[in-house]
Amino acid sequence: MRELRAAGYLPEALLNYLARLGHSYERDVWMEPAELAAGFALEHLGRAPARYDQAQLLHWQVEAVQRAIPERLWVWMGSAVHEWVPPGHREEFIATVRPNVRFPADAAFWAERLFGAELTLSDDSRAVIAAGRIGVFRHALAAHAEHGAAYQPLIEALKLRTGLKGRNLFMPLRVALTGEIHGPELARILALLPPELARRRLEARANLLA
């Protein structure tokens, strides 16, 4: 239990998992503790030995994180996140990264990615940049200067400037802003990043190809 708590598992996730360990419900969906208790029946106990399934526990952990109220998630995310996220951006940060977070360490990773002064690139990210058109980041910089965090106008302007669309358009922009090839919604990232930080990151990617 200490290990699970230290890893960041939420109690509700563990309850949803344990209630199904050797026992089945009519509906295999998320339930609150009272629902789990009300639906328990001796005739639903299985004959086969119970088996630990980490994938199932992770499934219920994801469900728990998606359902937790923001105030509770903020405390759960821990001091590392509190240090990275600027005052006034707490709820916006939680809404942005929640779909990509399973544990506090995930939240800390994205807090540093979105607000850290230095942005390191993975090998996959460098490959995306190297494969992109040389001018795409300068065009993105110009579009950002014109439209700021207004996602749709910025994307439309970038399409016109570069002739790119789909993955070829969005992936370089995501990599430039976060250093990752996967992550939270790009529109939310643009809205959350401080404008000056977004500009510096676009400039850095443009200079990398210069």
Side-chain angles (χ1 to χ4, degrees), residues 180-191:
E180 298 294 324
I181 61 174
H182 302 292
E185 291 181 23
L186 198 50
R188 287 189 174 275
I189 289 172
L190 275 167

Side-chain angles (χ1 to χ4, degrees), residues 8-10 13 57-65 76 102-103:
Y9 281 98
L10 291 168
L57 179 55
L58 284 172
H59 166 75
W60 295 118
Q61 172 71 0
V62 170
E63 292 285 327
V65 171
W76 170 80
R102 295 187 301 179
F103 300 103

Side-chain angles (χ1 to χ4, degrees), residues 143 150-160 169-170 173 186 190:
Y151 177 74
Q152 203 57 47
L154 184 147
I155 291 299
E156 292 302 324
L158 196 52
K159 285 181 180 179
L160 289 173
L169 176 73
F170 298 112
L173 186 58
L186 198 50
L190 275 167

